Amino acid sequence: MSVTTLLLQLVVILTTARLCGWVLRHVGQPSVVGEMAAGLMLGPAVMGLLFPSLHAQLFAKESLQGLSSLATVGLVLFMFVVGLELRATRNMRAQLQAAGAVGVLSVLVPLVLGLAISPALHPTLAPAGVGFWPFALFMAAALSITAFPVMARILKDRGMTRTPFGQLSLSAAAVVDVFAWILLAFVVALVGTSDGYAGLIKITVGVVVMLTVLFLGLKPAFAWLLRVKAPDGEPSTTLMAALMIGLLVTALLTEWLHLHAVFGAFLFGACLPRDDRLLRSLSERIEPISIVVLMPLFFALAGLGTTANAFSGASLGAMLLIVGVATVGKIAGGAAGARIAGYSWRDSLATGSLMNARGLMELIVIKIGLDVGLIGPELFTMLLVMALATTAMTGPLMTLCIGRKPKPAETAAHAEP
C-alpha cells in the first residue's frame, strides 16, 4: 500500500466523520453518533452501492492494513482513558446498592433476551463451525453493553451529572461494564484457544497473574511515581513514556493470551491510582489524537465490514428483532432496577433510557466478535445498526421523560461541598 493511498483514505474518512458529526450534533445527537454513521456510509451498503468503482479503488482489501494498525492504536488509547474514567466515577460507593440493582437488571434482562432469540438467529447468521453456546453468549454480551463515555457526555452536555438519576446511571454503567466485559472476555477466550477447556484454564490463570501484577505491583509503583514526579497531576515526558510503555505491554499481554488488546488497555487504566487531576491531564493529551484522528478510522473499518444484504428480506426482520429486543431489555431492566432502588418513575425511565446508549463500546464489542469469527458480516451489520439506533434514541427518550435541563433544586442539593 502506498503512502498516497493511506493519506487519501485518512482525508476521506476524517472529512466524512467530521461532517456527519457536525450535522447530527445540530439535531441534538452526540457527535459520536455521526461518526458511527460515517463509518456505515463509507461501507459497501452506501458508498459501495452508489460509487462501486471508487469504493473498490479507495478501500481495496490489500490497502487496509495501515488503517487497521492505526485504528488499533487509537482503540488501545481510548480504552485506557475509559479505564481511568471508570476509576474516577464519583460517589460510586455511596450509591453502590442502587447502582448494583440497576446494573444487574440492565445486564440480566437483555442477557436473557439475547439468549432467547439466539436459537432463531444461530442457524442462518452464525459462521460455519461456531457452536450455539459461544454464539448465544456473545449475543447476550452484545445486547448487555452500555456506553459509559457516551452516557457521561450526554449528561455533561445537559448539566445533569449531579442529578440523582445522573449519578445513579453513571455508577450503574460502571457495574454493567464489569459484568459485560467479563462475559465477553470469557467468550473470546473460549473461541480463541484450540485446546478446549485446558486452554481456557491457561488463559484464566494468565489473566489472574496479570491482574495480580497490575493491582498489587504496578498500582503502588505508579502511585509512588505520581506522588514524587507529578504531585500536581501533570506527568512529565518521562512519566508519560512509562505510562505508555505500561499500557502497550499490558495490551500486548492480553493479545498474547488470545484475548483482545482492548482488555489490557482497559485494565491498565483501571489499575492506576484514582486522581481526577491525572485523568484530566491524560485526557487532554490523549483524547485529541485518539478520538478526533484515530477513532474515526475504527468506525470506517467497522463500516467496511458491513454488508447490504442485512437490509433486505428475512435479514431485515432479524435486524428489527435485534433492535427491538436490545431496546426493551435495556430500558426495562434499567428502569426496574431504579424503581426497586426507590426512584420515581420518571427518573427510573430516564435511567433506563441512558442505560440503552451503546455507542462506541458496542462497536468495539461487535468488532471483536467479527475479528475472532464469532459473527459474520451480516449479523455484524445488524448489530452496528442496533448500536446506532439505541444511541440515537437516548437523548430524545431522556427529554421525553424529564426534559432537557435539571431542576435547580436537584443540582443545588447535589452540589459538591
Side-chain angles (χ1 to χ4, degrees):
M1 180 192 68
S2 68
V3 174
T4 303
T5 301
L6 175 62
L7 293 176
L8 182 58
Q9 290 172 336
L10 291 173
V11 169
V12 171
I13 292 169
L14 294 179
T15 302
T16 306
R18 299 316 297 171
L19 285 174
C20 289
W22 180 83
V23 169
L24 288 189
R25 192 166 62 248
H26 280 73
V27 294
Q29 293 291 344
S31 58
V32 67
V33 176
E35 293 165 7
M36 291 166 62
L40 192 61
M41 290 179 62
L42 291 171
V46 180
M47 184 179 178
L49 192 63
L50 298 176
F51 310 102
S53 178
L54 176 61
H55 186 269
Q57 291 179 20
L58 183 60
F59 296 113
K61 189 173 182 180
E62 61 272 12
S63 72
L64 299 181
Q65 185 57 49
L67 283 179
S68 179
S69 299
L70 288 173
T72 300
V73 173
L75 200 56
V76 165
L77 291 173
F78 176 81
M79 289 303 296
F80 169 57
V81 176
V82 170
L84 282 172
E85 288 178 337
L86 178 66
R87 296 285 298 163
T89 302
R90 295 180 181 273
N91 298 329
M92 187 182 295
R93 290 184 180 178
Q95 298 199 32
L96 188 58
Q97 185 174 359
V102 175
V104 169
L105 284 175
S106 65
V107 168
L108 188 60
V109 176
L111 187 149
V112 170
L113 292 177
L115 292 176
I117 65 173
S118 291
L121 302 177
H122 180 263
T124 55
L125 295 175
V130 175
F132 172 75
W133 280 111
F135 176 85
L137 289 173
F138 176 81
M139 286 298 299
L143 297 191
S144 302
I145 289 293
T146 291
F148 184 94
V150 173
M151 174 191 292
R153 188 182 302 182
I154 292 172
L155 288 169
K156 185 177 181 180
D157 289 346
R158 297 185 178 219
M160 293 181 174
T161 54
R162 295 201 300 264
T163 59
F165 91 91
Q167 289 287 302
L168 174 68
S169 300
L170 287 170
S171 300
V175 176
V176 169
D177 279 352
V178 171
F179 278 109
W181 284 99
I182 288 174
L183 176 59
L184 180 65
F186 172 77
V187 177
V188 172
L190 194 61
V191 300
T193 175
S194 59
D195 299 329
Y197 288 104
L200 184 61
I201 291 172
K202 292 178 184 177
I203 292 172
T204 303
V205 172
V207 170
V208 170
V209 171
M210 188 178 69
L211 287 172
T212 303
V213 172
L214 281 175
F215 285 91
L216 298 183
L218 282 184
K219 181 177 179 179
F222 273 108
W224 177 81
L225 275 174
L226 290 168
R227 188 168 58 251
V228 173
K229 300 293 185 181
D232 57 352
E234 293 289 333
S236 64
T237 53
T238 302
L239 188 54
M240 277 296 296
L243 288 169
M244 291 301 101
I245 291 170
L247 166 63
L248 294 174
V249 168
T250 311
L252 175 65
L253 286 174
T254 50
E255 192 76 29
W256 179 71
L257 285 170
H258 298 289
L259 297 172
H260 202 281
V262 299
F263 293 110
F266 177 80
L267 290 172
F268 183 75
C271 88
L272 290 181
R274 175 174 172 171
D275 188 328
D276 288 346
R277 296 174 305 170
L278 175 66
L279 170 61
R280 183 166 54 252
S281 178
L282 290 176
S283 296
E284 290 173 353
R285 285 167 166 80
I286 294 173
E287 287 189 344
I289 190 70
S290 66
I291 292 181
V292 176
V293 179
L294 297 178
M295 289 311 299
L297 309 185
F298 175 76
F299 295 135
L301 286 172
L304 293 172
T306 61
T307 173
N309 296 335
F311 297 93
S312 60
S315 295
L316 182 59
M319 181 190 296
L320 294 175
L321 173 66
I322 290 171
V323 173
V325 166
T327 303
V328 171
K330 272 293 184 184
I331 294 178
R339 189 65 181 153
I340 291 171
Y343 286 75
S344 68
W345 273 114
R346 290 171 66 86
D347 280 354
S348 297
L349 289 171
T351 300
S353 300
L354 272 174
M355 301 304 291
N356 192 40
R358 288 175 172 85
L360 174 59
M361 304 302 288
E362 182 71 26
L363 259 68
I364 294 172
V365 169
I366 63 177
K367 188 66 168 62
I368 291 172
L370 183 67
D371 290 345
V372 301
L374 275 167
I375 58 175
E378 197 167 347
L379 183 54
F380 175 81
T381 306
M382 297 176 188
L383 291 170
L384 189 151
V385 171
M386 180 271 288
L388 265 172
T390 55
T391 306
M393 71 176 67
T394 299
L397 286 175
M398 273 185 59
T399 301
L400 184 64
C401 293
I402 58 170
R404 292 195 61 84
K405 295 294 181 182
K407 298 175 184 178
E410 286 185 340
T411 50
H414 290 78
E416 295 173 348

